[in-house]
Amino acid sequence: MTSAPLQDAPPGAEQVEERIVIHANALLIGAAGVLLRGPSGAGKSGLSLELIHLAEGRGLFARLIGDDRVALMRRHGRLLARPHPAIAGAIEERGRGVLPIEFEPAGVLRCLVDLCGPRDETPPRYPPEGSAEADLCGVRLPRLAANAREAGAAREILSFIHQFVAF
């Protein structure tokens, strides 16, 4: 999707080139936007809540951007995430239902975590060559494959996020 020309933008300024809505969660940890992808039942919402709690316990800013459906758009070489307007400020907690939560209206994604589903094999100990990055809307992001149900998954993911953004 191409947007209308930017008002008062210098010649050659990048337009929003692509916008998609995907099944994923997005959150901010410090200044790092993190995208959690995975099939239904992979633990995206529970892991989002755990990461927020863990980060806040370490004195870091942590907020949900969006649960379940997230709009992604490339702008000026960066990938932005926004919540789907119909469910902004809400998260589904298994066994409790849909709950209100503080959220941010947008964030710049710095990395991606792909979660395996309940029937998938656990990600390999050493990732295959070429799997350390992923391309979304023409933006390359560092990528981690993880299993949200493994003990210590949130700490492993928080460590991964910390590699790419200084808190």
Side-chain angles (χ1 to χ4, degrees):
M1 167 194 252
T2 303
S3 65
L6 297 172
Q7 296 294 328
D8 302 319
E14 183 179 7
Q15 305 293 307
V16 175
E17 295 185 18
E18 188 175 349
R19 179 188 167 128
I20 60 173
V21 176
I22 65 169
H23 179 76
N25 280 27
L27 55 146
L28 284 174
I29 305 290
V34 181
L35 187 69
L36 302 176
R37 293 191 304 188
S40 182
K44 294 179 296 293
S45 298
L47 183 60
S48 293
L49 291 168
E50 189 176 354
L51 283 167
I52 290 168
H53 179 73
L54 183 61
E56 288 178 337
R58 295 182 180 185
L60 301 171
F61 177 82
R63 289 284 188 282
L64 181 76
I65 296 172
D67 180 52
D68 194 42
R69 287 184 286 162
V70 178
L72 303 178
M73 64 199 77
R74 185 172 95 178
R75 179 165 281 157
H76 304 292
R78 301 182 306 170
L79 190 60
L80 301 176
R82 295 185 187 278
H84 189 282
I87 53 178
I91 191 166
E92 181 182 354
E93 189 170 357
R94 204 167 286 282
R96 294 190 62 207
V98 178
L99 305 172
I101 188 171
E102 289 185 82
F103 77 103
E104 289 295 309
V108 176
L109 295 178
R110 302 286 185 211
C111 59
L112 161 70
V113 178
D114 277 326
L115 300 173
C116 60
R119 293 182 185 88
D120 295 336
E121 289 184 28
T122 298
R125 183 172 178 180
Y126 297 103
E129 189 154 334
S131 68
E133 290 186 331
D135 187 288
L136 290 168
C137 299
V139 177
R140 301 229 22 105
L141 293 175
R143 177 188 172 272
L144 174 71
N147 183 341
R149 294 173 304 285
E150 283 187 352
R155 285 187 294 280
E156 175 189 352
I157 292 166
L158 193 59
S159 176
F160 171 72
I161 296 164
H162 190 68
Q163 293 176 39
F164 304 104
V165 177
F167 294 115

